[in-house]
Amino acid sequence: PCAGGAVYSPALTDFILMTEQNSYMFVTGPKVVKSVTGEDISTEDLGGADVHARKSGVAHFSVADEQTGIETMRELISYLPQNNLEEAPIEDCADPINRLEDALNAIVPDNPNMPYDMKSVISGIVDCNKFLEIHKDFARNIIVGFARFNGVSTGIVANQPNFLAGVLDC
């Protein structure tokens, strides 16, 4: 929970994870909103995990419970160096170095006006088909996340043709 002036600090951090029905961020709470506008609004609707994961983009991850949050943070940290002087961790990769992914031949349609799912492309080329998506519910026309190629941690940014044709918008 974070309210008032303290809410500015989390917005400046690298990654924010919020648990549904348990965390919120807002400058002014529901009681003040009620007294000023007469509108009844819950803490969840005003600044809960779903609001910040979908609408504001302040939350990078929205999870159902604390245990899922801990697992998500462990996965995220596995891609990052411990500080700016270290290299990102490298993991052993069990994928064959010369593997072929036949599904990639059919993902992009012949008609350039037809959408396709870029997540399928990403999943088909990264180690063990494993991709940690950041901001998966926000700005869905762009895909941002972490994966590995031959064990090397890599950041991925891609347009998502499956949503708004992948165009960049405000």
Side-chain angles (χ1 to χ4, degrees):
C2 192
V7 81
Y8 296 115
S9 295
L12 298 173
T13 61
D14 293 323
F15 295 101
I16 294 178
L17 179 138
M18 295 181 74
T19 54
E20 298 162 6
Q21 305 298 323
N22 190 29
S23 57
Y24 56 82
M25 288 186 285
F26 45 72
V27 176
T28 302
K31 291 179 183 177
V32 175
V33 171
K34 172 75 173 168
S35 69
V36 173
T37 67
E39 180 184 356
D40 281 316
I41 190 164
S42 69
T43 55
E44 192 65 27
D45 290 337
L46 184 60
D50 189 59
V51 168
H52 289 299
R54 292 183 189 280
K55 293 183 180 178
S56 74
V58 172
H60 301 88
F61 302 97
S62 174
V63 296
D65 54 50
E66 194 170 312
Q67 183 60 38
T68 305
I70 291 169
E71 291 166 7
T72 301
M73 284 296 108
R74 283 183 177 150
E75 184 178 358
L76 173 64
I77 288 170
S78 77
Y79 289 100
L80 304 172
Q82 291 187 28
N83 61 58
N84 67 324
L85 300 176
E86 289 187 9
E87 296 292 322
I90 296 175
E91 286 191 2
D92 290 333
C93 177
D95 288 344
I97 194 74
N98 59 350
R99 78 171 177 177
L100 298 176
E101 188 64 49
D102 292 332
L104 292 174
N105 295 327
I107 291 175
V108 179
D110 292 333
N111 182 346
N113 295 324
M114 297 299 295
Y116 59 95
D117 188 3
M118 187 56 127
K119 291 180 189 178
S120 298
V121 174
I122 293 168
S123 177
I125 62 174
V126 299
D127 290 0
C128 305
N129 308 101
K130 192 173 171 185
F131 175 63
L132 176 63
E133 188 171 3
I134 312 293
H135 273 155
K136 72 176 181 171
D137 297 321
F138 180 72
R140 295 184 345 214
N141 43 332
I142 299 295
I143 300 169
V144 177
F146 292 101
R148 288 188 174 81
F149 291 97
N150 198 28
V152 178
S153 180
T154 306
I156 294 176
V157 178
N159 294 65
Q160 172 56 298
N162 220 14
F163 189 82
L164 296 177
V167 299
L168 298 178
D169 65 351
C170 61

